[in-house]
Short mmCIF file of all heavy atoms in Angstrom, two decimals:
data_model
loop_
_atom_site.label_atom_id
_atom_site.label_comp_id
_atom_site.label_asym_id
_atom_site.label_seq_id
_atom_site.Cartn_x
_atom_site.Cartn_y
_atom_site.Cartn_z
N ARG A 25 11.48 -19.56 19.23
CA ARG A 25 11.79 -20.66 18.31
C ARG A 25 10.47 -21.09 17.67
O ARG A 25 9.40 -20.75 18.16
CB ARG A 25 12.43 -21.82 19.05
CG ARG A 25 11.60 -22.35 20.21
CD ARG A 25 12.38 -23.44 20.94
NE ARG A 25 11.67 -23.87 22.12
CZ ARG A 25 11.83 -23.33 23.31
NH1 ARG A 25 12.64 -22.32 23.47
NH2 ARG A 25 11.16 -23.79 24.34
N PRO A 29 3.88 -28.66 18.48
CA PRO A 29 2.70 -29.07 19.23
C PRO A 29 2.99 -29.30 20.72
O PRO A 29 2.10 -29.15 21.54
CB PRO A 29 2.30 -30.39 18.55
CG PRO A 29 2.89 -30.30 17.19
CD PRO A 29 4.15 -29.50 17.32
N ILE A 60 22.11 1.75 23.42
CA ILE A 60 22.03 2.32 22.07
C ILE A 60 22.81 3.63 22.03
O ILE A 60 22.52 4.57 22.77
CB ILE A 60 20.56 2.57 21.67
CG1 ILE A 60 19.81 1.23 21.58
CG2 ILE A 60 20.49 3.31 20.33
CD1 ILE A 60 18.35 1.35 21.24
N GLU A 80 19.55 0.27 14.92
CA GLU A 80 19.62 0.19 16.38
C GLU A 80 18.23 0.11 17.02
O GLU A 80 18.09 -0.37 18.14
CB GLU A 80 20.34 1.42 16.95
CG GLU A 80 21.83 1.47 16.68
CD GLU A 80 22.17 2.09 15.32
OE1 GLU A 80 21.24 2.32 14.51
OE2 GLU A 80 23.37 2.35 15.07
N VAL A 90 14.22 -9.18 5.54
CA VAL A 90 13.48 -9.41 4.30
C VAL A 90 13.06 -8.02 3.83
O VAL A 90 12.11 -7.43 4.32
CB VAL A 90 12.25 -10.30 4.55
CG1 VAL A 90 11.46 -10.47 3.24
CG2 VAL A 90 12.66 -11.64 5.11
N GLY A 110 -3.98 27.56 5.74
CA GLY A 110 -3.57 28.64 6.62
C GLY A 110 -2.57 28.21 7.68
O GLY A 110 -2.57 28.72 8.80
N LYS A 117 4.20 13.18 3.70
CA LYS A 117 5.15 12.06 3.78
C LYS A 117 4.60 10.99 2.85
O LYS A 117 3.60 10.33 3.16
CB LYS A 117 5.26 11.55 5.22
CG LYS A 117 6.15 10.33 5.39
CD LYS A 117 7.59 10.57 4.98
CE LYS A 117 8.49 9.39 5.36
NZ LYS A 117 9.84 9.55 4.77
N VAL A 147 2.43 -17.88 6.12
CA VAL A 147 1.86 -16.76 6.87
C VAL A 147 0.45 -16.49 6.34
O VAL A 147 0.12 -16.86 5.20
CB VAL A 147 2.72 -15.49 6.75
CG1 VAL A 147 4.09 -15.70 7.36
CG2 VAL A 147 2.85 -15.05 5.28
N VAL A 168 8.29 -17.82 1.60
CA VAL A 168 7.29 -18.34 2.55
C VAL A 168 5.94 -18.28 1.84
O VAL A 168 5.70 -17.38 1.04
CB VAL A 168 7.28 -17.43 3.81
CG1 VAL A 168 6.07 -17.67 4.67
CG2 VAL A 168 8.56 -17.62 4.62
N PRO A 175 -11.76 -8.79 1.91
CA PRO A 175 -13.20 -8.64 1.65
C PRO A 175 -13.42 -8.32 0.18
O PRO A 175 -12.54 -7.77 -0.49
CB PRO A 175 -13.60 -7.47 2.55
CG PRO A 175 -12.35 -6.72 2.83
CD PRO A 175 -11.22 -7.71 2.74
N ARG A 177 -14.88 -6.12 -1.29
CA ARG A 177 -14.81 -4.72 -1.70
C ARG A 177 -13.39 -4.20 -1.88
O ARG A 177 -13.20 -3.07 -2.31
CB ARG A 177 -15.54 -3.85 -0.69
CG ARG A 177 -14.87 -3.84 0.66
CD ARG A 177 -15.46 -2.77 1.56
NE ARG A 177 -15.48 -1.49 0.88
CZ ARG A 177 -15.81 -0.34 1.44
NH1 ARG A 177 -16.14 -0.31 2.70
NH2 ARG A 177 -15.79 0.78 0.77
N GLU A 213 -6.99 -23.72 12.00
CA GLU A 213 -6.98 -25.07 11.41
C GLU A 213 -5.62 -25.45 10.86
O GLU A 213 -5.15 -26.58 11.02
CB GLU A 213 -8.00 -25.14 10.26
CG GLU A 213 -9.40 -25.48 10.70
CD GLU A 213 -10.38 -25.40 9.52
OE1 GLU A 213 -9.92 -25.45 8.35
OE2 GLU A 213 -11.59 -25.28 9.78
N VAL A 263 4.08 5.59 14.84
CA VAL A 263 4.79 6.88 14.75
C VAL A 263 4.93 7.52 16.14
O VAL A 263 5.95 8.15 16.44
CB VAL A 263 4.15 7.86 13.75
CG1 VAL A 263 4.22 7.31 12.34
CG2 VAL A 263 2.73 8.24 14.11
N VAL A 294 -12.15 8.06 16.78
CA VAL A 294 -12.55 9.46 16.94
C VAL A 294 -13.73 9.56 17.91
O VAL A 294 -13.75 10.42 18.82
CB VAL A 294 -12.91 10.09 15.58
CG1 VAL A 294 -13.36 11.55 15.76
CG2 VAL A 294 -11.74 10.01 14.62
N TYR A 309 -22.57 -0.50 12.08
CA TYR A 309 -22.85 -0.44 10.65
C TYR A 309 -21.86 0.50 9.95
O TYR A 309 -22.20 1.63 9.61
CB TYR A 309 -24.29 0.05 10.41
CG TYR A 309 -25.32 -0.86 11.02
CD1 TYR A 309 -26.04 -0.45 12.15
CD2 TYR A 309 -25.57 -2.12 10.51
CE1 TYR A 309 -26.99 -1.29 12.74
CE2 TYR A 309 -26.52 -2.97 11.09
CZ TYR A 309 -27.22 -2.54 12.21
OH TYR A 309 -28.14 -3.37 12.78
N LEU A 348 -12.75 12.58 -0.59
CA LEU A 348 -12.43 12.40 -2.01
C LEU A 348 -12.09 13.74 -2.66
O LEU A 348 -11.16 13.83 -3.48
CB LEU A 348 -13.59 11.71 -2.74
CG LEU A 348 -13.94 10.31 -2.20
CD1 LEU A 348 -15.11 9.72 -2.98
CD2 LEU A 348 -12.74 9.38 -2.28
N GLY A 372 -8.88 15.62 7.01
CA GLY A 372 -8.81 15.81 8.46
C GLY A 372 -7.97 17.03 8.81
O GLY A 372 -8.34 17.82 9.69
N GLY A 409 -18.70 12.38 -11.16
CA GLY A 409 -19.98 12.64 -10.52
C GLY A 409 -20.20 14.11 -10.21
O GLY A 409 -21.32 14.59 -10.12
#
Side-chain angles (χ1 to χ4, degrees):
R25 56 184 175 270
I60 296 178
E80 289 86 350
V90 178
K117 176 61 172 171
V147 296
V168 165
R177 66 169 309 188
E213 274 175 19
V263 296
V294 179
Y309 300 108
L348 300 179

